[in-house]
Amino acid sequence: MRGKRRVTSGRKKTRIKAMIERFDEKAREAFGGRGRTVVRRGELMRHTAYTRVLHWTVALSFVLALLSGFAIYSPWLYRWLTPLFGGGPMTRLLHPWFSLVFTVAFAFQFVNWLRPMSWTTNDSRWMKRIRAYVTNQEKTEPPETGFFNGGQKLYFWMIVFSTVVFVITGFFLWFDDVVPRWLVAVSYVLHDIAALVMLAGFIIHIYEGTAAQPGTFQSMTNGTVTDDWARTHHPAWYEEVTGRDARSDYEDARRRQAEANDSRPKE
Ligand code: HEM
């Protein structure tokens, strides 16, 4: 009986996943004619124009929601941040709307990235060597690292859970005149914890997407990355899209570079 129920719920999950993917495919097709990505020699396509527009809509609305939220949260920041939004009352009015734009945009991004963000045993293994990743101890990622690594997936799922908390508690705070006082008090605490978690993740994310991993930022602007970036950071994805061996291509590229350096005239 229990086995039968498990099979039915498994089928339901597969059907929902297929529906989500069909929706995303249609959205991508509808958007496809408007934005193009130029892929040059030695580069691979990383993020479509649709994904990039979603990402930057999420980023902009998140920053606006965060700044307006912190302006309301802290009396010290209130003085500095509320003028940006046209004063205190206007900041209070705008904050839930920025947050709603963020939630809707992230819902589309969620659908867009659901498949590559699925957690696997490789990701659990990846998490065990997070210290080596953060301190850049190894030159290349483990061979099984696919389109996203475990850290990126963790960040994604943290946003999913925090956004659910934000939305539920945010509505209680927005309509606090019809909600019991204890629920409003609990919502304040949970809303603020979720905001601080998201802020910490956001700071790490900006660092990893720019200074820590050169070549990553262009994936969200041009939509492309170099072959070298792909085989270094996401070897399994590189092998999937090129059909080539990431490790030997990486070593060949290093050898060629060393030869080129040796043959350059010394000053
Ligand atoms: C404003 C500064 C931001 C910068 C410079 C930035 C940069 C990037 C870059 C370059 C990628 C692609 C990484 C790859 O292809 O491997 C990316 C992915 C992503 N971004 Fe952002 N982003 C920013 C803001 C945000 C915000 C505000 C959110 C959500 C609250 C967000 C959520 C994500 C997620 C979930 C991914 C995929 C997973 C990951 O790469 O960590 N980003 N971002």
Side-chain angles (χ1 to χ4, degrees):
M1 189 69 185
R2 201 178 289 166
K4 201 172 173 190
R5 207 177 293 157
R6 205 173 293 155
V7 171
T8 321
S9 93
R11 274 202 204 122
K12 219 187 245 173
K13 259 192 203 160
T14 317
R15 224 177 305 137
I16 293 173
K17 257 194 167 172
M19 257 166 59
I20 288 179
E21 271 161 21
R22 262 202 309 277
F23 173 83
D24 185 57
E25 216 174 287
K26 275 194 188 146
R28 254 183 296 134
E29 267 168 26
F31 200 89
R34 288 166 217 275
R36 276 187 306 130
T37 306
V38 179
V39 184
R40 296 191 172 79
R41 249 177 93 113
E43 287 184 340
L44 294 174
M45 167 84 159
R46 176 89 176 148
H47 298 297
T48 61
Y50 174 62
T51 302
R52 272 138 52 208
V53 167
L54 282 182
H55 175 270
W56 291 119
T57 310
V58 165
L60 180 67
S61 52
F62 175 81
V63 170
L64 291 173
L66 193 77
L67 289 180
S68 56
F70 273 114
I72 304 167
Y73 169 76
S74 145
W76 184 74
L77 290 174
Y78 186 89
R79 215 152 59 94
W80 300 100
L81 291 176
T82 51
L84 290 177
F85 302 102
M90 196 57 159
T91 309
R92 270 177 206 282
L93 181 89
L94 288 175
H95 175 70
W97 292 102
F98 291 145
S99 309
L100 278 183
V101 174
F102 165 74
T103 306
V104 172
F106 189 69
F108 279 91
Q109 186 97 83
F110 173 79
V111 167
N112 186 236
W113 275 341
L114 187 58
R115 184 189 273 268
M117 288 295 182
S118 313
W119 195 265
T120 66
T121 47
N122 287 339
D123 301 312
S124 306
R125 224 172 304 131
W126 189 95
M127 291 310 295
K128 291 194 184 125
R129 52 170 295 283
I130 193 155
R131 186 191 283 261
Y133 177 79
V134 174
T135 50
N136 267 336
Q137 271 171 28
E138 281 159 32
K139 289 196 173 68
T140 58
E141 282 289 287
E144 64 275 11
T145 310
F147 191 84
F148 287 122
N149 64 39
Q152 292 176 297
K153 292 185 187 183
L154 182 72
Y155 179 53
F156 175 81
W157 287 106
M158 188 206 80
I159 299 171
V160 173
F161 289 116
S162 304
T163 304
V164 171
V165 173
F166 269 139
V167 171
I168 297 172
T169 56
F171 269 102
F172 291 151
L173 296 176
W174 202 0
F175 302 103
D176 58 353
D177 43 347
V178 292
V179 174
R181 287 187 77 85
W182 69 266
L183 194 52
V184 174
V186 171
S187 297
Y188 264 119
V189 176
L190 294 180
H191 204 76
D192 295 350
I193 291 175
L196 293 175
V197 169
M198 289 274 271
L199 177 65
F202 177 53
I203 292 169
I204 297 170
H205 177 65
I206 294 187
Y207 174 63
E208 289 296 335
T210 56
Q213 314 287 349
T216 307
F217 187 63
Q218 76 166 69
S219 72
M220 268 304 163
T221 49
N222 306 349
T224 59
V225 287
T226 61
D227 288 347
D228 196 45
W229 183 94
R231 58 187 166 238
T232 308
H233 297 284
H234 301 274
W237 172 62
Y238 174 82
E239 293 187 352
E240 193 186 310
V241 289
T242 62
R244 299 174 58 86
D245 185 67
R247 186 77 222 165
S248 63
D249 282 3
Y250 174 85
E251 278 161 8
D252 282 351
R254 288 294 165 280
R255 201 174 318 116
R256 276 199 304 275
Q257 196 166 7
E259 281 165 11
N261 288 346
D262 286 348
S263 61
R264 208 172 287 153
K266 306 260 179 313
E267 282 172 18

